[in-house]
Amino acid sequence: MRVLSVFGTRPEAIKMAPVVRLLSAAPGIEHRVCVTAQHRSMLDQVLSLFQIDCHYDLDLMAEDQTLTQVAAGTLAGLKGIIEEFKPQRILVQGDTTSAFAAALAGFYHGVAVCHIEAGLRTGDIMAPWPEEANRKLITVIAHTHYAPTVRTQDNLLAEGVRPGRILLTGNTVIDALLYMLGRLRREPELATAVAAQLPRLRSDKRLILVTNHRRENFGPGMGQVARAIAELAQRPDVEIIFPVHLNPNVQAAFRARLGLFPNLHLIDPVPYLPFLYLMDRCHLILTDSVGIQEEAPSLGKPVLVTRAVTERPEAL
């Protein structure tokens, strides 16, 4: 069987890594990887860490790229790849615009689409935007739905997906998390090397880890988050570390407003392994990331979700 896995962002790569590694070694399967690469540098870090080889690279990253560019580039780029490789299954993960476009490309070519992390829902088509629409549209297209939890399986059944097309799998991001965290804890020299990549953090203060990047928070939402972080930074008993996403909208929202606090570290996005180190060490996490809502509870870390709704009610 010929199987094509398509993904393009760092979170997708992390969640696909355990699947890709197993598929690549599975007898009877010819497996190839296509990256859309709208998150070039952050994606490449994960590919290197998990030793994932790419057979096709659409290299879609462009400055301040639009959703239309990502969707059109994915559709156009996959046409020749599908015609050349002739996959019998296309695997897509989650709810990015490139995942939806890849599913649509598969559908247009008559290839069965398999959706990893299927069934997440907030019930609000505009929150998160455009992810809620993307994942619902993939559900309509998909042949097989890999649901991570019982709740997501129930969401699919409620929408009329046939039970025989749903497989309850568990969550691949936790597989990746536990694998890499095990390495950090077993290999002291690796943990020391990772810590050296980060600002020197004080052990006598409670560490707050922050991320914020979702499109739905651009503008007023990020302004509210920035004010909250500034208030937290006035506490003498905390230290805050905030890897700031490279998106210009995110940079503009936080860099100018939060650069004056000595206990607040605004840093560039860090690779996956240093971020796991920070999650494992921190006291709590302030985030709008879906992935962190999945990962942090597995480490016993409290999460403050800076969104109006979440597709991860299991964490709540």
Side-chain angles (χ1 to χ4, degrees):
M1 178 179 286
R2 293 181 302 279
V3 178
L4 179 66
S5 293
V6 184
F7 53 92
T9 66
R10 183 171 87 162
E12 287 176 305
I14 292 167
K15 294 178 180 185
M16 286 293 289
V19 180
V20 166
R21 296 196 69 181
L22 288 170
L23 276 175
S24 298
I29 293 178
E30 184 180 358
H31 178 244
R32 295 187 184 177
V33 171
C34 173
V35 292
T36 52
Q38 64 267 42
H39 288 182
R40 178 82 268 168
S41 61
M42 293 188 286
L43 171 70
D44 288 347
Q45 292 167 4
V46 177
L47 297 178
S48 175
L49 180 64
F50 285 94
Q51 299 179 316
I52 296 173
D53 294 325
C54 296
H55 304 86
Y56 308 104
D57 189 339
L58 303 187
D59 196 21
L60 295 182
M61 186 169 181
E63 186 175 351
D64 207 14
Q65 63 198 349
T66 66
L67 296 175
T68 301
Q69 287 173 302
V70 172
T74 302
L75 273 172
L78 280 174
K79 180 179 182 296
I81 294 169
I82 293 172
E83 290 172 350
E84 174 198 319
F85 180 48
K86 297 180 172 55
Q88 294 157 291
R89 296 285 187 275
I90 288 182
L91 294 183
V92 299
Q93 196 284 328
D95 50 27
T96 62
T97 296
S98 56
F100 165 60
L104 188 60
F107 177 71
Y108 283 167
H109 288 81
V111 182
V113 173
C114 303
H115 188 197
I116 297 172
E117 198 181 63
L120 276 68
R121 298 290 186 269
T122 64
D124 183 347
I125 200 71
M126 296 304 293
W129 179 88
E131 288 85 357
E132 179 78 355
N134 286 338
R135 54 191 172 225
K136 287 175 72 71
L137 292 166
I138 295 173
T139 294
V140 175
I141 292 170
H143 174 274
T144 308
H145 311 260
Y146 300 119
T149 67
V150 172
R151 189 187 293 261
T152 56
Q153 176 182 250
D154 290 344
N155 289 341
L156 294 167
L157 292 171
E159 293 177 6
V161 177
R162 285 187 284 168
R165 294 287 178 89
I166 304 171
L167 184 64
L168 184 62
T169 62
N171 196 330
T172 61
V173 76
I174 305 304
D175 298 320
L177 170 77
L178 296 179
Y179 171 73
M180 283 299 173
L181 196 58
R183 285 195 60 198
L184 276 175
R185 291 173 176 174
R186 289 191 308 270
E187 304 174 29
E189 68 282 0
L190 179 61
T192 300
V194 167
Q197 300 176 44
L198 300 166
R200 183 170 295 176
L201 302 172
R202 294 182 54 172
S203 59
D204 61 335
K205 293 191 176 186
R206 292 183 290 180
L207 181 64
I208 298 175
L209 176 59
V210 179
T211 77
N212 202 274
H213 72 281
R214 301 193 76 87
R215 289 175 185 270
E216 67 196 82
N217 278 337
F218 287 178
M222 288 186 177
Q224 291 178 327
V225 172
R227 287 193 294 274
I229 295 171
E231 186 172 342
L232 284 171
Q234 296 176 47
R235 293 180 60 106
D237 60 335
V238 304
E239 192 165 23
I240 302 171
I241 189 162
F242 184 175
V244 185
H245 197 284
L246 297 178
N247 185 296
N249 296 284
V250 183
Q251 292 281 322
F254 294 111
R255 287 283 182 184
R257 301 183 190 189
L258 297 175
L260 301 176
F261 298 94
N263 60 337
L264 171 56
H265 307 281
L266 299 178
I267 64 174
D268 288 338
V270 295
Y272 180 57
L273 212 51
F275 194 81
L276 287 189
Y277 175 88
L278 289 171
M279 279 204 296
D280 196 35
R281 177 171 171 177
C282 75
H283 179 72
L284 64 83
I285 302 174
L286 182 73
T287 188
D288 61 1
S289 164
V290 177
I292 295 171
Q293 290 176 61
E294 299 163 339
E295 293 164 331
S298 301
L299 301 176
K301 303 296 180 178
V303 182
L304 305 180
V305 182
T306 54
R307 295 172 59 186
V309 292
T310 178
E311 55 276 80
R312 277 298 181 205
E314 295 93 339
L316 301 179

